[in-house]
Structure formats: structure tokens, C-alpha cells
């Protein structure tokens, strides 16, 4: 009998185990359902906050573009609240633990990372900048009573620097988000975030360089002097055009004045290069690069051109300038959109519509005497400068004009101060040679006039570029195609002024256009071959530093055109990179076109 109770207790204990196990399972299922519901609900809420944050970003863009700076801070605060809420909703322990569930967790982790990145940008980029935007805007660069107020620009430096570093960090963090196993909506959202941050980071970087450079370069810490080169696109140089007119700008604490002007004829020829030229520059462009002010821009390296021009001014006028700026009449026409028409002392009216034609073509018919031409160009430059200095122009259009000129390679800047030049390097105004990265491979197409006249007003240029992996080793083949056409009238030899055609004095028959075309590839590329109009091209292959160069000479009669194609082999690590071409800016700008080619015949020769 004594065994019976023992057996009953044992049976009871054994019978209770399924009930305990059941309760444990039910508890776990309940917790799982709760966790899924918790994460799901918070995920939906977080998504709503992130979508509203995106809306705030678009609103901010519109407010800044429209100049509604008063509303910017309120929108920035709302953006910060929305981004912070999304970060909070995706940052609790349940969400954190759920990130390690297979498949499901990968998506949650990506959403969490997106929320963190957006919140970081809102707090440490948008909010600081919104605090100074009311004091610092495009109007900050407009002169008032002949002087630019540098204080708002200087006050904006810390906020813009913080925003820039934040966006650069956010761009890296976004790139690090693993989307290899995420759902399509999550993958798309991360991709959109990456693209937005890449664009914003680049723009912030440019803005940061500007606000860091502007006060010092505009004379905040003492007088500055700059050499201004007016490049004439009717006689092309790789850097833009011949510096036909030169001026010295004096800057004192934001006050800019035109201190002196000179014509290229005032310099004459120097007996030898004013500074030592490297062997590659000599090989490609000759010693004349350092002997004539008109030829300092034969090289596309603007830092070299600027140093040579600076030394020539010093030797001619005994003044050492602090930097060099280059601009062309096409950019001047863009600026005239902002200033409106400018009345010249000689009676001409310069407008955005007639500036290019008048300055680069009609002036030679109206004023056949070179000395009168020089006076006309000096008058045009000083008149536009006075209008800009007065501050009576549309600031947004003015900034837009400078941006357009910069994007087209028409504006260049170099500083003799190594610290300032370090900030300029890598920007579109630096005039550096093509580079390569995992995102983009750049090529260069540079034109130098060989006619010795102003016939390049009639030269049209079309550039195309394409790339494809044609080899088993994964190295990309890139092809650059250049088409040039002489659009001068058929009777150009007699109908155009001799000053424009050259009159045959430099060995080119009047009406024809002689051009040297140099195609530059990124460093470490390998030249593969070239053709001209479907035939083997006779050209010069050389290097400029570590950049392969293929250079061809063309001669075109009125109405005639030619197409030059050159192929290069790149490095395998850049196989997925896009391709771009920068080109000497002419009188008329044309966009680079995409090029498709047959891998078996990248440069077909008939």
C-alpha cells in the first residue's frame, strides 16, 4: 500500500509536465505574436514618420529655392521631430532583438539604419544650417555700396562645416547598409537615400569650400590682388581661349575694384619661358606656353597657366598677385541675364543676347584697328564689372550664371596660398586633368587653335563617349569620339575680315580652320588605337604626367567636318564606373552624347 501513494504522486508529477510545457509554448507564442505585432505596428508608425521627413526635405528645398528663409527653421524643426520619432520607434529592445531573426531581421536592421542616418542628418546637418540660413543666403554675396559683407559668410562657417562632415558620414553609413537580402521596398528606399545623400554631400562640400575660402580671398585679413584673364573662345586654347585682355582686381575686406587693365599685346614675347616648363608640356605645347600671355592656356592644367600668367604680370608690371581667375564672354553673357543690359561708353549696348556675337565676332568688323578693339574689350569688361560691383542685379540669376559657367568649364580659379589652393583642388573651377574613381572615369578633349586667327567662332564640336567590358580579364574599353565642323560661310575667305581669317599669314588658307585635338585618358589607361573618318589616324601619342594623350591635327574648309575616334583600355577595378568627358568650352556649348560601339572594332578602319 505504501507504494501506491508514491506511484500516485509520481504519476501526478508526470501528468503535470505536458501542462507546464503547454503553458511555456503558449507563453512563447504569445510573446512572439506580441513581438511581431509590436515591431509591425512600430514599423508602420516609423514608416509614416520617415515619409513625412522626406516631405519636409522637399519643402525645405522649395523654401530655400524660393527664398522663404523665415519658414526654413520651422520646417527643419518638424523634420528633426519626424526623424527622431522614427529613430525612437526602431530603437527599442524588442526591435533590436528582432533584427537577428533570419530574413525578417535583415529588413528590420536596414530600416533601423535608415532611421538613424536620417535622424543624424536632421539633427547635425539640417538644424545647424537652418539656424544661419536667415542671415546667410545667396544675397550674402551681393555687394552693397560696392562692398560684400563678409561677416554673415564667416558666421556660417561652423554650421556649414558641421553639416558637411555629417553628410559625408551619413553617406558612408548609407553605403554600408546591407541590402543583399532585403525586400524590394526596403532596397529601393535605401537606394533613394544613398542617391540623395551623395548629391547633398557633394553640394555641401562645395558650399563648405566656398564659405571657408570666401572671407580670406575677399580680403578679410588684408588686401588681395588677383589677375583676371578674359579668354577669347574665337581663338581656342585647351584651357578655353587666348587671354586677349588682362586685368588686376584689388580686394579689401569685401570691396572689389578694377585696379588695372592690359591687352595681350602689352606683354609681347618673353625671350624664354618665364618659369621652367616640364618636358611633357614642352613636348605637347612647346616653349611658347611660357613665352606669350596668349599661350599660357595651351595646356589644360590651369594651375600651370595661372603660375605662368602671374609671373608674366610680375615681370611686366612689377606686381605680385595673390591668385588668378579666368572667365570668357559666354559666361559674361550669362551674367548679363542677371544685370540686364549694360551701356558701354562708346555707345554700344551689351546684352545677354548679343554679348557673344559682338565680343567674339562682330567687333572685328566694326573695329578693324587692333588698338580700337583693345579699347572696346576693355570698355566692355569695366562696364560689366561696375554693374556687378554696384550690386544692382538679380542675385539668384547671378549665382546661376556663375554655376553654369563653372559647369561648362568657363570659370577657373587658382590661389597662390597653398592652404586655399588645397580647398580649390578637386572642384570644377580648379582646371585639373581627368581622374578616375570607382564611380566615374573622366576623359578630356582639349582643342588648340592652329589657324592664328578668330575662326573658331565658326567651329562646332560634338563629343561622345562610351565604355564596355570587351575582355575576359574584366578591363573596360572606353571610346571617345570627337566631330568638328567648320560652319563658316562658303565665301569666308573674302566675306570675313582678314583679322578673323588670319589672311593666310600663319600658313592656313583663309576661311579654313586648323585645330589640334588632344584626347586625355585617366592615369594608368593604355592607348589602344584611333581612326579619323573611318581610316587609320596619323597622330601623336604621348603622355602628360601619367595621363596618356592622343593628339591629332585637323584642317577644315567651310562646310567640311571630320570625326576622330580614340580607344583606351582601363583598369579592371573601374569596370563598373561611368564615363564622362570634360572639354574645351567653345562659343556654343553641346552636351556630351553616349556612344555605342562594337567591341571587335572600337575604332573601325575601312
Amino acid at each position: 500500500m505504501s507504494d501506491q501513494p508514491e506511484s500516485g504522486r509520481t504519476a501526478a508529477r508526470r501528468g503535470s509536465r505536458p501542462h507546464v510545457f503547454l503553458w511555456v509554448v503558449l507563453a512563447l507564442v504569445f510573446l512572439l505574436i506580441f513581438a511581431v505585432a509590436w515591431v509591425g505596428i512600430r514599423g508602420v508608425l516609423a514608416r509614416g514618420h520617415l515619409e513625412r521627413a522626406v516631405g519636409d526635405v522637399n519643402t525645405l528645398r522649395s523654401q530655400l529655392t524660393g527664398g522663404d528663409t523665415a519658414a526654413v527653421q520651422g520646417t527643419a524643426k518638424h523634420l528633426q521631430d519626424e526623424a527622431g520619432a522614427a529613430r525612437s520607434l526602431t530603437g527599442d529592445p524588442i526591435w533590436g532583438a528582432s533584427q537577428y531573426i533570419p530574413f525578417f531581421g535583415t529588413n528590420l536592421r536596414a530600416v533601423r539604419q535608415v532611421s538613424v542616418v536620417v535622424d543624424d542628418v536632421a539633427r547635425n546637418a539640417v538644424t545647424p544650417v537652418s539656424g544661419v540660413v536667415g542671415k546667410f543666403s545667396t544675397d550674402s554675396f551681393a555687394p552693397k555700396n560696392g562692398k560684400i559683407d563678409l561677416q554673415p559668410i564667416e558666421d556660417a562657417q561652423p554650421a556649414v562645416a558641421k553639416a558637411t562632415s555629417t553628410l559625408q558620414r551619413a553617406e558612408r553609413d548609407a553605403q554600408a547598409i546591407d541590402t543583399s537580402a532585403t525586400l524590394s521596398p526596403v532596397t529601393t528606399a535605401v537606394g533613394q537615400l544613398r542617391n540623395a545623400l551623395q548629391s547633398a554631400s557633394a553640394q555641401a562640400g562645395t558650399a563648405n569650400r566656398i564659405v571657408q575660402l570666401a572671407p580670406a580671398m575677399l580680403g578679410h585679413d588684408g588686401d588681395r590682388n588677383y589677375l583676371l584673364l578674359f579668354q577669347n573662345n574665337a581663338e581656342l586654347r585647351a584651357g578655353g581661349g587666348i587671354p586677349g585682355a588682362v586685368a588686376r582686381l584689388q580686394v579689401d575686406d569685401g570691396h572689389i575694384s578694377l585696379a588695372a587693365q592690359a591687352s595681350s599685346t602689352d606683354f609681347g614675347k618673353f625671350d624664354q619661358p618665364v618659369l621652367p616648363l616640364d618636358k611633357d608640356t614642352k613636348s605637347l605645347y612647346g616653349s611658347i606656353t611660357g613665352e606669350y600671355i596668349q599661350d599660357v592656356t595651351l595646356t589644360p592644367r590651369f594651375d600651370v597657366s595661372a603660375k605662368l600668367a602671374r609671373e608674366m604680370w610680375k615681370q611686366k608690371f612689377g606686381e605680385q598677385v595673390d591668385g588668378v581667375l579666368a572667365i570668357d564672354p559666354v559666361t559674361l553673357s550669362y551674367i548679363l541675364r542677371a544685370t540686364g543690359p549694360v551701356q558701354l561708353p562708346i555707345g554700344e549696348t551689351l546684352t545677354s543676347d548679343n554679348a557673344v556675337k559682338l565680343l567674339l565676332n562682330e567687333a572685328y568688323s566694326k573695329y578693324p584697328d587692333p588698338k580700337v578693339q583693345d579699347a572696346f574689350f576693355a570698355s566692355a569688361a569695366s562696364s560689366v564689372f561696375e554693374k556687378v560691383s554696384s550690386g544692382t542685379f538679380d542675385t539668384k540669376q547671378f549665382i546661376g550664371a556663375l554655376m553654369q559657367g563653372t559647369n561648362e568649364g568657363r570659370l577657373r580659379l587658382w590661389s597662390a596660398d597653398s592652404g586655399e589652393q588645397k580647398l580649390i583642388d578637386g572642384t570644377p573651377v580648379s582646371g585639373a586633368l581627368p581622374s578616375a574613381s570607382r564611380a566615374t572615369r573622366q576623359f578630356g578633349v582639349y582643342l588648340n587653335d592652329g589657324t592664328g586667327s578668330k575662326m573658331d567662332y565658326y567651329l562646332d564640336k560634338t563629343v561622345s563617349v562610351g565604355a564596355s567590358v570587351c575582355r575576359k580579364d574584366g578591363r573596360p574599353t572606353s571610346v571617345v569620339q570627337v566631330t568638328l565642323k567648320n560652319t563658316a560661310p562658303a565665301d569666308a575667305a573674302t566675306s570675313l575680315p582678314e583679322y578673323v581669317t588670319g589672311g593666310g599669314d600663319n600658313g592656313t588658307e583663309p576661311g579654313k580652320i586648323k585645330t589640334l585635338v588632344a584626347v586625355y585618358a585617366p592615369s594608368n589607361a593604355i592607348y589602344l588605337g584611333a581612326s579619323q573618318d573611318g581610316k587609320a589616324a596619323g597622330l601623336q601619342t604621348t603622355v602628360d604626367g601619367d595621363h596618356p594623350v592622343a593628339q591629332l591635327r585637323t584642317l577644315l574648309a567651310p562646310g567640311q567636318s571630320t570625326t576622330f575616334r580614340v580607344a583606351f583600355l582601363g583598369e579592371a577595378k573601374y569596370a563598373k564606373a561611368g564615363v564622362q568627358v570634360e572639354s574645351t568650352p567653345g562659343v556654343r556649348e553641346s552636351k556630351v552624347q553616349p556612344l555605342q560601339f562594337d567591341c571587335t572594332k572600337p575604332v573601325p578602319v575601312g
Side-chain angles (χ1 to χ4, degrees):
M1 296 294 293
S2 61
D3 291 337
Q4 184 66 33
E6 180 73 16
S7 298
R9 288 193 297 270
T10 303
R13 286 197 298 271
R14 288 175 180 171
S16 68
R17 286 177 182 173
H19 294 289
V20 172
F21 180 74
L22 180 61
W23 280 111
V24 170
V25 170
L26 287 173
L28 289 173
V29 169
F30 175 76
L31 286 174
L32 180 60
I33 292 172
F34 173 78
V36 171
W38 177 266
V39 170
I41 292 170
R42 291 172 75 86
V44 170
L45 293 173
R47 176 182 175 180
H49 286 296
L50 287 172
E51 287 176 345
R52 287 190 288 274
V54 171
D56 287 334
V57 170
N58 293 330
T59 301
L60 276 172
R61 185 182 292 113
S62 299
Q63 289 170 342
L64 291 170
T65 303
D68 187 6
T69 56
V72 166
Q73 289 192 36
T75 305
K77 177 64 169 61
H78 190 261
L79 167 61
Q80 182 177 322
D81 292 343
E82 295 289 353
R87 182 170 186 167
S88 177
L89 286 165
T90 60
D92 63 275
I94 295 177
W95 190 290
S98 301
Q99 292 179 130
Y100 298 98
I101 299 173
F103 177 72
F104 186 60
T106 302
N107 292 278
L108 296 181
R109 187 160 50 250
V111 172
R112 167 63 180 171
Q113 290 171 310
V114 167
S115 300
V116 170
V117 168
V118 173
D119 182 53
D120 188 27
V121 170
R123 290 177 182 277
N124 299 311
V126 176
T127 298
V129 170
S130 69
V132 300
V133 76
K135 298 179 182 179
F136 173 73
S137 65
T138 53
D139 289 337
S140 300
F141 291 97
K144 296 176 179 62
N145 299 318
K147 182 176 183 292
I148 298 173
D149 185 4
L150 301 179
Q151 195 59 50
I153 302 174
E154 195 166 35
D155 291 344
Q157 289 176 343
V160 176
K162 183 177 182 180
T164 301
S165 61
T166 297
L167 286 165
Q168 290 173 344
R169 180 176 65 249
E171 185 182 6
R172 292 193 298 270
D173 291 345
Q175 290 295 337
I177 297 174
D178 182 11
T179 58
S180 59
T182 53
L183 294 170
S184 178
V186 176
T187 305
T188 300
V190 173
Q192 291 172 341
L193 178 65
R194 288 170 175 167
N195 291 336
L197 287 172
Q198 184 178 28
S199 174
S201 180
Q203 292 173 2
T206 300
N208 185 48
R209 291 174 191 246
I210 291 172
V211 298
Q212 298 298 328
L213 281 167
M217 295 196 75
L218 290 173
H220 183 269
D221 302 319
D223 287 3
R224 291 289 189 95
N225 286 277
Y226 297 99
L227 202 61
L228 181 60
L229 306 179
F230 294 97
Q231 298 197 86
N232 189 325
N233 314 89
E235 188 170 348
L236 287 174
R237 293 291 183 267
I242 65 164
V246 187
R248 177 171 63 85
L249 301 179
Q250 188 170 18
V251 186
D252 177 21
D253 195 27
H255 183 270
I256 308 174
S257 58
L258 193 61
Q261 287 183 275
S263 167
S264 58
T265 57
D266 294 329
F267 290 83
K269 180 183 183 299
F270 292 88
D271 294 334
Q272 59 184 5
V274 294
L275 294 173
L277 301 176
D278 63 52
K279 61 181 180 62
D280 294 337
T281 300
K282 281 185 177 180
S283 171
L284 276 161
Y285 308 113
S287 297
I288 58 173
T289 309
E291 296 170 350
Y292 291 93
I293 189 71
Q294 299 97 318
D295 292 328
V296 296
T297 48
L298 280 169
T299 170
R301 297 176 181 263
F302 187 68
D303 60 332
V304 174
S305 302
K307 291 172 185 176
L308 291 170
R310 177 179 186 240
E311 182 62 24
M312 288 180 182
W313 183 271
K314 179 183 177 182
Q315 291 191 23
K316 180 64 180 179
F317 300 104
E319 299 166 336
Q320 183 79 289
V321 296
D322 301 294
V324 179
L325 174 69
I327 191 173
D328 69 4
V330 179
T331 304
L332 198 64
S333 74
Y334 301 157
I335 291 173
L336 285 165
R337 296 175 192 164
T339 64
V342 172
Q343 191 71 33
L344 306 185
I346 59 174
E348 296 274 8
T349 299
L350 207 59
T351 71
S352 61
D353 294 327
N354 72 6
V356 173
K357 189 173 184 179
L358 183 57
L359 293 171
L360 296 180
N361 186 254
E362 291 180 347
Y364 303 113
S365 299
K366 290 187 175 184
Y367 313 108
D369 185 341
K371 291 184 178 180
V372 178
Q373 292 171 9
D374 291 343
F376 169 70
F377 295 137
S379 158
S382 60
S383 297
V384 174
F385 180 82
E386 287 175 11
K387 187 71 175 283
V388 172
S389 298
S390 70
T392 55
F393 56 83
D394 185 306
T395 309
K396 291 179 186 176
Q397 286 199 23
F398 181 76
I399 297 295
L402 297 183
M403 291 298 294
Q404 185 175 356
T406 298
N407 292 336
E408 293 176 2
R410 302 181 186 280
L411 274 175
R412 293 286 184 254
L413 177 64
W414 173 83
S415 173
D417 183 287
S418 59
E420 293 173 359
Q421 185 57 34
K422 188 176 180 179
L423 288 173
I424 295 171
D425 287 340
T427 67
V429 297
S430 65
L433 293 184
S435 61
S437 69
R438 295 191 182 276
T440 307
R441 283 177 295 132
Q442 296 177 329
F443 294 82
V445 173
Y446 305 114
L447 310 184
N448 276 304
D449 172 72
T451 314
S453 67
K454 303 299 182 287
M455 283 297 294
D456 287 328
Y457 180 82
Y458 299 98
L459 185 68
D460 273 0
K461 172 194 65 182
T462 303
V463 178
S464 305
V465 64
S468 184
V469 176
C470 301
R471 296 161 47 113
K472 292 182 179 180
D473 60 9
R475 300 185 69 174
T477 298
S478 299
V479 177
V480 178
Q481 180 174 290
V482 185
T483 298
L484 300 180
K485 183 176 182 179
N486 182 346
T487 66
D491 61 350
T494 55
S495 64
L496 297 180
E498 186 175 316
Y499 195 86
V500 172
T501 65
D505 291 343
N506 295 296
T508 301
E509 187 180 338
K512 293 184 177 181
I513 302 176
K514 183 186 293 183
T515 310
L516 276 75
V517 185
V519 179
Y520 278 60
S523 58
N524 300 320
I526 298 173
Y527 169 77
L528 292 177
S531 66
Q532 184 178 9
D533 299 327
K535 299 179 181 179
L539 47 74
Q540 174 190 12
T541 56
T542 182
V543 294
D544 191 346
D546 55 1
H547 292 265
V549 182
Q551 184 165 251
L552 173 80
R553 186 186 301 271
T554 67
L555 181 64
L556 301 174
Q560 188 178 4
S561 65
T562 187
T563 297
F564 171 47
R565 181 180 279 198
V566 58
F568 295 96
L569 185 66
E571 297 179 84
K573 63 181 179 180
Y574 300 136
K576 295 183 179 179
V579 286
Q580 295 179 348
V581 177
E582 63 175 29
S583 181
T584 298
V587 174
R588 289 163 293 279
E589 191 64 21
S590 60
K591 292 184 178 180
V592 175
Q593 302 296 320
L595 178 68
Q596 301 291 331
F597 60 89
D598 182 351
C599 274
T600 61
K601 296 181 179 180
V603 284
V605 177

